[in-house]
Amino acid sequence: MPKPAPPHGTVTLLDEEAGTQMLSFFSTTVVLLLGTAVSLAYLFDALSSLPLRPATLICALALATLIGIRKGHARIAGQILIWGSWAIILASAPFGSGNRSVGVVGIPLLIFMQGWLKGPRHAIGMTIATVAALLGISLAEHYNWITQAGPIPPLLRWLMLCAIFCIMGFFTVLSHRLHLKRYSEQVRLATTLALVTEHSPIMLAAVDAEGRYRYVNNNYAHFHGKSTDELIGNPVVDTVGADTLRQIRQTLLKNDDGRGAYRSRHQDPVSGIERWLETSVQQARTNDGAEDGFYAILRDITDEVRSAEQVNFLAYHDSLTGLPNRALMLDRLRQAILRGEREDSLVVVCYLDLDGFKRLNDTWGHSTGDSVLIQLADRLQDCVRGTDTVARLGGDEFVVLLGGIENREEIPATVARLLKAVECPIPISESRSIALSASIGVSVCPLNGEEPDVLLRNADQAMLIAKQSGRSRCSLFDTELEGRARALYQTTANVERGLAEGEFVLFYQPRVNMRLGTVVGVEALIRWAHPEEGLILPVSFLPYVEGSEVAVRLGRWVLAEALSQMQRWSAIGLHLPISVNISGHHLKAPGFGEHLAKLLEAHPGIPAERLEIEILETAAMEDVEKVARIIRDSASLGVSFALDDFGTGHSSLTYVRRLPARTLKIDKSFVRNILEDPEDLAIAKGVVALARSFGREVVAEGMETIEHGVALLSIGCEHAQGYGIAHPMPAEAVPAWIAQWKCPACWGDAPRPAT
Ligand code: C2E
Ligand code: MG
Ligand code: MG
């Protein structure tokens, strides 16, 4: 059957088979009818009155056609059947009226079939051939070359038959034209559909009432790893499986309007990749409303599903480390508390904050900081059981929840494991690793609270205490301490009041030159002589006012008091330099330089060179440029600077060079371990070497024993302060202490570092 060519084979319609079906129907009918007629004729011995021979031949041709169709040669077999039957009918026409009757019916039928199978031109061709052949027969009869058949004169009969065949040919052409119009309309529709769907990501399939693909677009075929030609005409069940087909039918049945949609998950058989599909199905109906298969539109929604999962994940997880975030952690804590109640066990909340992480970020960049956090997250998870939770609250703060703990004695071991995990050097490049430390605060349910918020807050508070007491510490939340802390420090108003009441005092810790055995100065350390609580150390109140206006006022008081003290000591002939600790916030607050100048003016007998300001290395790193400017301005007044707790801030060489501080104070956490920890000794040595190469002085703080002093001297650090020399003491005690202090003899003889 001729059809308008579909564009690039993208459109294939099931109607392709209609011609073959018609041919096979026709052949079967011929075989059955003529087969029955021949059998009956033989049965009743009426052989002579029926056109049996031609009929037998036609029957044989029809059988051959059927076989041809089955073997896939429908077109050739069809032509042999049609032209064979035509020839047999015409050849037998002169030999009997029965034969002619068959011809009158049979020839128009053959013309009609030819028209449908091969097109109108072939139908007209067959009509002309028939008319010509009949003209030949009629002329032969007319001139009595063959016996005339029937009463009608041959030429008249010829004209009558011509009229019949021509009318038949005309109707064939007409009906074919109408069919073509309808068909091309269908193809046009299908082409449009194909164009629309091929350029959109949707997959489309039309399925007929027998459950076979009527149409599929390329996307659909491609998704199933087939071509459109392989699918069209084949059963849907072979491609999608019985379960999917059942689901489609159930979806259609469920909805009265004959449409519905559902989502399903598919695994690509080749790549194994999982994909999500949204299938919308719509019942197809014939014009009279009968069910006629269905249409299915499939959309690959894998990306949508994945991003929904991602959004959901991010709502409860930290995007950098993938750990649970605060919300999920609180939920887990809530569950752990309930489980703890049921099982009568403890729940431990460890609040972990990295020491000096901001420095690390500033020095090595944020991407290094991120990679460190990711590695730490993995390590922390490795330290705990699968049922415990490690969460990241943001920045460098992590929370570890431990459930099912039987007694408090188990806690230190776990916390030590966490601290150790953090302290293990972390590689930041192929050749470089850095060592970190953390401060951990611990609260325990039900001992320190039974609400997630309370437990978390208490662990946070304990962490602050741990942080103040040095690197790599852990502090267990203490309810009693909390009570006092709340009463004392909750508001800066208390400190303000203490300041107004004159409750603050300065203690002084001597700094000595160990090699020469001389006292080179003192460090002023603030204490709160509380009327009820007694002497309170700075760790217990400074963190709570840090960054506030009160802290600046407190700092100003310390400066003024230290200068006054120098004046008082000068009066008795003790010309001792004083180091004063100033918070980063105070130093950077507007008017620091002016205020310092005014104070110095107010104490004219005191040379500014005797005043040293200590600023934490970490605070200086926060705004190197500004701090450097302040240091330079202060130096113009004569005041010098020291970088306190040096080594905890991971300063790079560049930073040290840019900060014109005269002194570097090695942090006590390194000094404490120099006798047994080669790494800490290496750090101390490094700081000494750094100070020497940049022409700075170096002081070790926290020097606790004489042996520490020897070790420090052997690496070239001659200045030190610490309990090994003297504890901080009230101002009045300093002159007497200086008068009686004797430098250990071994310090003078201690080996010098090899230069
Ligand atoms: P810092 O400036 O590093 O002071 C040294 C701290 O170490 C002092 O603690 C001192 O008592 C303690 N210390 C001295 N020798 C040893 C030792 O051999 N072993 C050990 N383990 N510790 C020793 P303190 O007085 O509690 O002060 C703690 C921190 O509070 C100071 O650390 C300083 O950063 C800050 N601070 C103290 N006074 C002031 C102040 O007037 N203003 C400001 N802004 N901060 C201050
Ligand atoms: Mg200090
Ligand atoms: Mg210090």
Side-chain angles (χ1 to χ4, degrees):
M1 191 188 312
K3 291 176 184 173
H8 300 298
T10 48
V11 181
T12 318
L13 290 173
L14 192 56
D15 293 27
E16 280 278 353
E17 286 191 5
T20 317
Q21 278 180 16
M22 175 178 133
L23 198 60
S24 118
F25 171 74
F26 178 73
S27 313
T28 317
T29 314
V30 169
V31 171
L32 285 177
L33 279 179
L34 292 185
T36 315
V38 172
S39 316
L40 284 174
Y42 277 114
L43 207 64
F44 296 109
D45 202 13
L47 207 58
S48 56
S49 62
L50 278 171
L52 283 179
R53 245 157 310 182
T56 315
L57 283 172
I58 291 174
C59 186
L61 272 177
L63 253 176
T65 305
L66 274 177
I67 295 166
I69 289 169
R70 286 201 73 90
K71 298 258 180 219
H73 306 293
R75 279 167 189 263
I76 300 169
Q79 287 308 297
I80 293 173
L81 171 72
I82 291 167
W83 283 106
S85 306
W86 180 83
I88 293 166
I89 290 172
L90 280 180
S92 61
F95 308 108
S97 60
N99 294 355
R100 281 191 292 278
S101 315
V102 171
V104 170
V105 181
I107 297 287
L109 199 67
L110 290 174
I111 292 173
F112 188 76
M113 271 178 69
Q114 185 67 336
W116 272 87
L117 288 174
K118 294 278 284 178
R121 266 194 288 146
H122 289 260
I124 292 167
M126 184 171 255
T127 309
I128 293 168
T130 311
V131 168
L134 282 181
L135 180 61
I137 295 171
S138 302
L139 283 176
E141 280 179 322
H142 180 70
Y143 293 110
N144 289 323
W145 295 336
I146 55 173
T147 325
Q148 188 181 322
I152 309 170
L155 289 178
L156 180 63
R157 198 178 64 230
W158 176 75
L159 278 176
M160 283 163 62
L161 285 173
C162 280
I164 292 173
F165 298 145
C166 287
I167 289 167
M168 205 54 230
F170 172 74
F171 276 120
T172 303
V173 172
L174 192 70
S175 76
H176 200 271
R177 279 262 163 88
L178 287 174
H179 165 75
L180 270 189
K181 208 171 154 213
R182 214 193 81 221
Y183 180 79
S184 60
E185 193 66 18
Q186 252 187 35
V187 170
R188 207 170 54 78
L189 260 175
T191 309
T192 313
L193 199 63
L195 279 174
V196 171
T197 58
E198 291 322 316
H199 290 98
S200 85
I202 63 163
M203 297 171 248
L204 187 74
V207 176
D208 67 15
E210 278 85 48
R212 295 185 313 155
Y213 288 112
R214 184 178 272 155
Y215 169 78
V216 296
N217 72 350
N218 273 342
N219 287 345
Y220 183 93
H222 181 75
F223 182 81
H224 289 98
K226 302 249 168 81
S227 69
T228 48
D229 290 343
E230 280 175 288
L231 289 182
I232 291 171
N234 284 321
V236 177
V237 69
D238 291 354
T239 307
V240 300
D243 288 346
T244 306
L245 200 58
R246 198 172 311 118
Q247 189 163 18
I248 292 175
R249 295 205 194 287
Q250 276 167 2
T251 310
L252 289 172
L253 282 176
K254 232 177 5 206
N255 304 301
D256 294 339
D257 57 355
R259 65 174 70 184
Y262 67 91
R263 285 180 171 202
S264 53
R265 203 175 3 191
H266 292 255
Q267 192 150 22
D268 189 310
V270 184
S271 64
I273 295 171
E274 202 176 61
R275 308 212 63 83
W276 280 89
L277 287 186
E278 186 185 68
T279 309
S280 308
V281 282
Q282 164 78 61
Q283 183 80 64
R285 295 194 182 276
T286 56
N287 285 347
D288 48 11
E291 285 183 8
D292 185 23
F294 61 86
Y295 300 103
I297 296 175
L298 293 86
R299 214 157 53 83
D300 187 342
I301 52 163
T302 312
D303 290 344
E304 278 170 44
V305 170
R306 297 249 160 90
S307 30
E309 280 172 359
Q310 182 80 353
V311 167
N312 201 30
F313 182 84
L314 286 181
Y316 292 101
H317 291 84
D318 167 47
S319 57
L320 178 69
T321 58
L323 291 178
N325 63 9
R326 178 185 285 267
L328 183 55
M329 183 274 295
L330 284 174
D331 188 58
R332 299 247 178 107
L333 181 53
R334 214 164 286 125
Q335 290 169 22
I337 293 170
L338 292 175
R339 208 174 318 120
E341 265 172 26
R342 272 200 313 274
E343 295 168 2
D344 198 22
S345 61
L346 303 174
V347 179
V348 177
V349 180
C350 303
Y351 201 111
L352 187 150
D353 185 285
L354 298 177
D355 299 326
F357 184 72
K358 189 173 183 306
R359 288 293 64 67
L360 184 144
N361 252 343
D362 292 349
T363 315
W364 299 104
H366 284 265
S367 55
T368 304
D370 287 353
S371 113
V372 166
L373 288 173
I374 293 168
Q375 295 186 57
L376 270 181
D378 289 345
R379 283 189 190 178
L380 293 176
Q381 275 179 309
D382 290 344
C383 285
V384 297
R385 295 163 301 177
T387 46
D388 297 331
T389 296
V390 178
R392 178 172 173 232
L393 302 192
D396 59 351
E397 292 180 350
F398 293 84
V399 165
V400 181
L401 304 180
L402 310 165
I405 304 279
E406 295 302 324
N407 55 56
R408 287 185 73 172
E409 280 68 51
E410 291 176 36
I411 300 172
T414 311
V415 173
R417 251 198 341 266
L418 293 173
L419 285 175
K420 211 164 164 147
V422 177
E423 278 169 18
C424 250
I426 297 176
I428 53 168
S429 69
E430 272 178 18
S431 56
R432 190 163 205 127
S433 298
I434 51 160
L436 275 178
S437 65
S439 304
I440 300 184
V442 176
S443 67
V444 181
C445 171
L447 310 172
N448 311 133
E450 292 178 27
E451 288 298 321
D453 285 346
V454 175
L455 284 163
L456 195 65
R457 199 176 55 236
N458 290 347
D460 184 13
Q461 210 161 56
M463 185 276 294
L464 274 181
I465 307 266
K467 208 160 237 323
Q468 291 307 317
S469 48
R471 282 188 327 153
S472 203
R473 294 290 170 87
C474 162
S475 159
L476 264 80
F477 182 78
D478 179 340
T479 319
E480 202 183 305
L481 177 79
E482 196 236 354
R484 277 175 56 203
R486 198 176 289 154
L488 269 174
Y489 331 118
Q490 217 173 24
T491 58
T492 50
N494 278 322
V495 175
E496 226 167 348
R497 187 199 51 76
L499 196 57
E501 304 281 317
E503 288 174 7
F504 288 93
V505 287
L506 288 183
F507 272 39
Y508 297 89
Q509 186 178 37
R511 181 195 290 182
V512 303
N513 182 318
M514 296 184 284
R515 181 135 343 247
L516 302 178
T518 51
V519 179
V520 293
V522 287
E523 177 178 4
L525 296 161
I526 197 167
R527 303 286 181 264
W528 187 355
H530 198 275
E532 287 141 32
E533 303 290 332
L535 205 63
I536 300 171
L537 291 174
V539 64
S540 305
F541 58 88
L542 283 186
Y544 301 91
V545 296
E546 178 57 37
S548 72
E549 191 43 40
V550 186
V552 176
R553 255 179 281 151
L554 204 63
R556 288 182 172 183
W557 175 84
V558 172
L559 274 171
E561 174 59 22
L563 285 169
S564 305
Q565 188 57 52
M566 271 199 264
Q567 225 165 16
R568 284 194 286 274
W569 280 334
S570 281
I572 58 164
L574 184 60
H575 307 292
L576 210 51
I578 297 186
S579 301
V580 170
N581 294 285
I582 293 294
S583 74
H585 170 70
H586 180 191
L587 187 83
K588 286 179 257 175
F592 176 81
E594 290 79 1
H595 183 257
L596 184 65
K598 264 191 218 147
L599 273 180
L600 288 168
E601 262 175 50
H603 298 85
I606 305 300
E609 289 71 27
R610 260 192 238 159
L611 180 67
E612 183 184 61
I613 291 175
E614 291 188 12
I615 163 130
L616 291 177
E617 182 204 7
T618 46
M621 291 300 117
E622 265 156 35
D623 192 346
V624 177
E625 289 313 322
K626 189 165 186 184
V627 172
R629 204 173 50 244
I630 296 168
I631 295 180
R632 273 194 298 273
D633 292 350
S634 308
S636 66
L637 297 171
V639 178
S640 59
F641 270 77
L643 290 181
D644 204 352
D645 295 359
F646 195 83
T648 55
H650 312 280
S651 300
S652 68
L653 289 179
T654 331
Y655 280 0
V656 176
R657 192 174 56 81
R658 273 160 46 194
L659 283 169
R662 191 183 63 185
T663 311
L664 307 182
K665 291 189 79 177
I666 311 174
D667 186 54
K668 56 179 177 292
S669 60
F670 304 114
V671 176
R672 189 191 307 129
N673 302 326
I674 52 168
L675 295 180
E676 60 272 0
D677 188 336
E679 282 183 7
D680 280 355
L681 181 65
I683 292 175
K685 268 188 192 164
V687 178
V688 173
L690 188 70
R692 192 175 298 148
S693 30
F694 283 103
R696 315 289 167 87
E697 283 178 15
V698 63
V699 179
E701 63 171 29
M703 207 252 359
E704 293 187 342
T705 66
I706 293 174
E707 291 73 40
H708 280 88
V710 174
L712 286 166
L713 282 164
S714 72
I715 61 166
C717 175
E718 300 190 341
H719 289 195
Q721 65 181 80
Y723 298 162
I725 299 160
H727 281 258
M729 59 190 89
E732 313 80 77
V734 173
W737 180 86
I738 294 176
Q740 58 78 47
W741 183 66
K742 282 197 182 53
C743 176
C746 57
W747 285 356
D749 311 329
R752 290 172 187 274
T755 45

